[in-house]
Amino acid sequence: MKRAMMITCLFMLCACGQGEDATNDDNNAGQAETEAVLYENDVFQIEEIDGWSVDEEATAEQEQNVIFSNGTIRLIVSIVSKEQTIDTLKKDVLASFSKKVELIEDDENYIALLTNRKENIRGDVYFHQGAEHQLIFTYMTPEQHYQESKGQINALNESINVF
Amino acid sequence: MKLKTWLSLATISVFFVGNTAFANEAEETVTPDEELYDTSILIEETELALTEDQMERALLLDEFANDRLSEIEATIEEGNLEEAEQLIEQYEEYLERLESELEESEEEQEASEEEANEEDDEVERVELPESDDNDGNEQGEDSDEENQEESAEDQDKSEEELRESAKQRTIKLQALLEREDLPEEAKAGIAKALENQKRAEENYLRAKAEKAVSDEDEDEQEQEKEEEEERELQEEREEEAAEQVEEENDKEAEAVVKAEQKQNKAEKKQQKAAEKAEKAERKAQEKLEKAEEKANKAKEKAQEKQEKAEEEAEKKQAKKAQENRQKQEKGNGKPNHN
């Protein structure tokens, strides 16, 4: 009888310990998930990526825009209503750059621009559709650094979740 | 025939319309009442932040100031005076930024000019001692000068563009001021903007004039410096030529002295050889004499020996004869007293 009691106690202790481990694992996973997010709001989320950071100062003054940076690459994420067509948005983005800007690529949800100045700036603009909003991801980088920036732009593009 | 003409006309017009559409797209602006206005301002600011060249930054600010003025005109037309006043304030900010950017651009240019001059001086100092082997360096210098000239031309072109743009803005601001439907506050803002614009222009012109004067002074100084350098170079060349002549003379004199020395040496050698020959002759003579003497002595000795031998032989003969006589006497019984 005593033996049976001791075995039951040991079994219970082991079970409790495992339960605690499982709870700890859940907590750790949750923390890891929280740590792995670079930025999130109700409309979109960007997973953490080496080199990229949120420009808190510039973003603080904005209501509809969030600014990110990575070396010489800048990313402006703009939240716009669903009322506007992608064509209108494309025109507006094009008009936002300095004059003499050239449209060098035009796909369904993407345009590439290049300013025509002494120091050219390359713009890669992606249009995403959310449930209630549209999102414009405008990457800007000096033309001379564009080739080396491509990888980082693609990496961030793959880490975007739109709600 | 008619169909062909129509078709070509249609093709040409489509081509022109296509091009104009793209150009218009680029010239369109986003107005403050549009949803993407804040984004467009952010894009402008980002473009500015990613641009390093001061003059390029000034040109961008000038373009953005023009955009703000167009927006002011549009909002006034729409009757949105509150928005217009805000835009006028922003416009003034752009003008201030433009002014400071231009000042920095001037300073940067002056600094780069000074640096270039210092580099030139340094290169000249290094090059002077070996002026024959500097073709490559001269070519590099030429291309540097060309680059400097090109950048100065670009600078002038950009400044001209900025002046023209400022003139256009002044005209637009004056036109706005003359409007009767504007409230006093808006007019005061525009007047202030106009005043700032004029002040900036005056400052710019004054800086330009000062720069022109200082450039003239610098040119004069540079000319004087060049003349002085030319004089120094001439003097150095003359000195070098004189030194060369002197060196040649020295070499000739040295050669003469050496030849003389050689001749003296040869003469001495000859003399020594003659002396040696004389000595050898004398020695040979002496030897001959000695040999003759020796021969004579030997002869004399031989003669003496012969004489002695003859004497001895005579003595012996005499002795023998005496002995024979004595023997004869003894044999005869009579002593011989000879």
Side-chain angles (χ1 to χ4, degrees):
Chain A
M1 185 64 188
K2 264 187 182 177
R3 210 172 171 185
M5 284 279 281
M6 273 176 75
I7 288 168
T8 316
C9 281
L10 271 170
F11 178 74
M12 278 181 75
L13 277 170
C14 283
C16 287
Q18 273 178 351
E20 204 175 323
D21 283 350
T23 322
N24 283 343
D25 285 349
D26 285 350
N27 286 342
N28 288 341
Q31 271 175 356
E33 264 176 36
T34 321
E35 278 169 16
V37 172
L38 173 66
Y39 181 87
E40 70 176 336
N41 60 20
D42 297 339
V43 189
F44 72 99
Q45 182 202 61
I46 296 178
E47 289 160 25
E48 197 168 273
I49 268 191
D50 272 356
W52 283 98
S53 60
V54 186
D55 191 340
E56 304 279 0
E57 205 180 318
T59 304
E61 296 163 9
Q62 299 290 322
E63 281 175 16
Q64 62 165 150
N65 298 295
V66 187
I67 298 120
F68 300 88
S69 65
N70 179 358
T72 53
I73 320 168
R74 301 280 182 279
L75 165 64
I76 302 166
V77 184
S78 314
I79 304 164
V80 287
S81 66
K82 283 264 190 182
E83 286 164 20
Q84 302 200 56
T85 64
I86 285 192
D87 281 343
T88 319
L89 293 177
K90 280 180 182 176
K91 273 185 188 174
D92 283 352
V93 172
L94 193 66
S96 302
F97 278 78
S98 58
K99 65 183 176 188
K100 297 183 206 164
V101 66
E102 280 179 40
L103 184 66
I104 52 175
E105 214 177 315
D106 188 358
D107 287 343
E108 195 184 346
N109 293 312
Y110 165 77
I111 52 170
L113 323 159
L114 189 66
T115 61
N116 194 5
R117 311 186 68 91
K118 199 171 157 189
E119 281 181 67
N120 288 339
I121 307 293
R122 159 97 185 206
D124 286 280
V125 191
Y126 297 86
F127 300 89
H128 292 263
Q129 298 296 323
E132 290 172 16
H133 296 88
Q134 297 185 88
L135 286 162
I136 309 170
F137 283 75
T138 309
Y139 293 92
M140 292 172 75
T141 178
E143 192 193 12
Q144 55 188 359
H145 300 304
Y146 180 68
Q147 288 307 322
E148 65 212 52
S149 307
K150 259 180 171 177
Q152 273 134 348
I153 292 174
N154 289 337
L156 195 120
N157 261 341
E158 283 165 14
S159 315
I160 299 167
N161 298 308
V162 179
F163 310 125
Chain B
M1 185 69 186
K2 268 187 178 177
L3 187 69
K4 263 190 179 178
T5 321
W6 274 112
L7 269 173
S8 3
L9 275 174
T11 319
I12 291 165
S13 59
V14 162
F15 175 75
F16 275 114
V17 167
N19 276 350
T20 326
F22 177 74
N24 282 343
E25 268 176 11
E27 280 168 22
E28 270 177 16
T29 53
V30 183
T31 52
D33 57 328
E34 287 182 72
E35 200 180 0
L36 270 185
Y37 183 73
D38 284 348
T39 304
S40 77
I41 299 290
L42 262 180
I43 289 174
E44 279 182 2
E45 289 298 330
T46 309
E47 212 180 313
L48 198 62
L50 293 175
T51 304
E52 287 173 355
D53 185 85
Q54 299 279 357
M55 187 43 87
E56 273 297 297
R57 288 169 64 83
L59 286 168
L60 278 173
L61 280 166
D62 177 72
E63 195 183 314
F64 301 153
N66 282 345
D67 288 348
R68 295 299 89 78
L69 190 54
S70 301
E71 287 161 18
I72 292 168
E73 285 175 320
T75 45
I76 287 173
E77 280 301 321
E78 285 167 11
N80 191 349
L81 296 176
E82 217 171 289
E83 183 74 47
E85 275 170 30
Q86 273 182 12
L87 284 171
I88 289 167
E89 275 175 29
Q90 283 175 19
Y91 173 75
E92 278 177 29
E93 276 173 29
Y94 274 93
L95 284 188
E96 277 168 23
R97 284 169 73 184
L98 174 59
E99 203 179 342
S100 68
E101 208 68 53
L102 276 174
E103 276 170 17
E104 278 173 33
S105 168
E106 287 280 325
E107 282 168 11
E108 194 184 68
Q109 210 198 352
E110 275 172 28
S112 70
E113 274 175 11
E114 269 175 33
E115 206 173 298
N117 287 340
E118 275 171 23
E119 269 175 25
D120 282 352
D121 288 348
E122 197 124 318
V123 167
E124 274 172 24
R125 271 201 296 276
V126 173
E127 278 173 7
L128 265 174
E130 291 170 17
S131 52
D132 295 340
D133 309 321
N134 292 328
D135 290 351
N137 291 337
E138 274 170 21
Q139 277 174 2
E141 229 175 87
D142 287 348
S143 68
D144 280 352
E145 275 173 22
E146 274 172 25
N147 286 343
Q148 269 184 4
E149 274 173 28
E150 262 178 41
S151 88
E153 268 176 33
D154 283 349
Q155 181 94 358
D156 288 346
K157 211 173 155 187
S158 305
E159 283 173 3
E160 186 59 39
E161 207 176 302
L162 288 173
R163 255 200 307 276
E164 189 54 39
S165 185
K167 256 187 209 170
Q168 294 301 322
R169 283 201 299 269
T170 307
I171 293 167
K172 281 183 183 176
L173 284 170
Q174 274 167 341
L176 282 177
L177 258 187
E178 281 163 17
R179 282 177 74 131
E180 285 173 3
D181 55 341
L182 282 185
E184 284 308 309
E185 276 180 26
K187 276 192 177 180
I190 291 168
K192 199 181 163 194
L194 198 55
E195 210 174 287
N196 285 344
Q197 177 119 348
K198 276 182 185 167
R199 185 176 47 82
E201 215 168 321
E202 277 167 14
N203 284 345
Y204 177 72
L205 287 174
R206 197 183 312 126
K208 269 273 138 192
E210 278 169 12
K211 197 179 175 263
V213 170
S214 75
D215 280 353
E216 257 177 46
D217 288 347
E218 268 175 30
D219 284 348
E220 272 176 27
Q221 280 174 358
E222 212 165 295
Q223 209 175 340
E224 276 174 23
K225 205 177 160 188
E226 272 173 22
E227 280 172 6
E228 204 174 311
E229 276 170 5
E230 188 67 32
R231 265 201 305 277
E232 275 173 19
L233 207 64
Q234 186 70 24
E235 278 173 12
E236 265 175 36
R237 275 185 202 143
E238 281 171 8
E239 267 175 35
E240 264 175 37
E243 270 173 26
Q244 219 167 342
V245 168
E246 215 169 296
E247 254 176 52
E248 273 169 22
N249 287 343
D250 286 351
K251 271 181 189 171
E252 271 175 28
E254 227 171 274
V256 169
V257 170
K258 270 184 185 174
E260 274 174 15
Q261 277 175 349
K262 262 189 183 176
Q263 210 176 340
N264 286 345
K265 269 185 186 175
E267 274 173 17
K268 271 181 189 174
K269 261 188 183 177
Q270 221 174 340
Q271 220 171 335
K272 268 184 187 177
E275 273 171 22
K276 255 188 182 178
E278 215 173 303
K279 252 186 190 177
E281 212 176 317
R282 247 191 328 232
K283 267 186 182 175
Q285 189 77 26
E286 273 171 21
K287 265 185 183 177
L288 198 67
E289 277 170 15
K290 271 182 185 175
E292 271 175 16
E293 220 171 287
K294 253 187 181 179
N296 285 340
K297 271 182 184 174
K299 216 178 173 182
E300 274 171 21
K301 266 185 182 176
Q303 222 169 345
E304 270 175 28
K305 264 184 181 177
Q306 207 180 346
E307 277 171 13
K308 269 182 184 175
E310 277 174 4
E311 260 175 46
E312 270 176 25
E314 271 174 22
K315 274 179 186 174
K316 270 181 183 176
Q317 246 180 334
K319 211 178 178 180
K320 256 185 184 178
Q322 202 175 357
E323 276 173 2
N324 284 339
R325 262 189 320 259
Q326 280 176 349
K327 269 177 186 175
Q328 255 178 340
E329 280 174 8
K330 269 181 185 174
N332 292 333
K334 283 185 185 175
N336 195 2
H337 297 287
N338 289 337

